Amino acid sequence: QISAHASDQSAPLESRSELEARVVSLSRQFEGLDIPRPANWGGYEVVAQRFEFWQHRDDRLHDRVLYELDDSRWQRQRISP
């Protein structure tokens, strides 16, 4: 939560220490308090039902592994390239 306040995402930084100093300062500012969501923060909830992992092989026999959600449990299956 502190990191969300400290980072001006994708904006240039002079150094890593500049970012770390912001974290220290904000940690002191919010000490003992609930940290509010930054005004510029947003996000999406992604609810996946299926994932596929693919790994390239030079022989074109690529590794493919499929995970599918079934009754709150992930099922794993190797599938053909």
Side-chain angles (χ1 to χ4, degrees), residues 1-9 13 17-40:
Q1 293 170 321
I2 294 289
S3 297
H5 280 276
S7 176
D8 187 10
Q9 190 170 20
L13 278 171
S17 60
E18 176 187 352
L19 181 60
E20 291 170 346
R22 288 184 203 166
V23 169
V24 169
S25 175
L26 288 163
S27 295
R28 289 181 185 138
Q29 178 182 335
F30 289 118
E31 188 173 354
L33 303 173
D34 286 336
I35 302 168
R37 179 179 294 151
N40 64 342

Side-chain angles (χ1 to χ4, degrees), residues 1-80:
Q1 293 170 321
I2 294 289
S3 297
H5 280 276
S7 176
D8 187 10
Q9 190 170 20
S10 299
L13 278 171
E14 290 295 321
S15 66
R16 172 97 187 158
S17 60
E18 176 187 352
L19 181 60
E20 291 170 346
R22 288 184 203 166
V23 169
V24 169
S25 175
L26 288 163
S27 295
R28 289 181 185 138
Q29 178 182 335
F30 289 118
E31 188 173 354
L33 303 173
D34 286 336
I35 302 168
R37 179 179 294 151
N40 64 342
W41 188 88
Y44 296 93
E45 179 181 15
V46 176
V47 181
Q49 300 295 312
R50 177 182 179 152
F51 283 102
E52 180 182 326
F53 294 92
W54 179 93
Q55 184 174 3
H56 170 77
R57 291 177 52 120
D58 289 335
D59 61 7
R60 297 190 47 82
L61 295 176
H62 312 303
D63 283 323
R64 292 176 65 196
V65 179
L66 178 66
Y67 290 83
E68 289 187 286
L69 191 58
D70 182 25
D71 293 326
S72 301
R73 187 170 176 185
W74 288 100
Q75 302 295 322
R76 180 183 184 273
Q77 181 178 26
R78 180 171 296 278
I79 57 177
S80 297

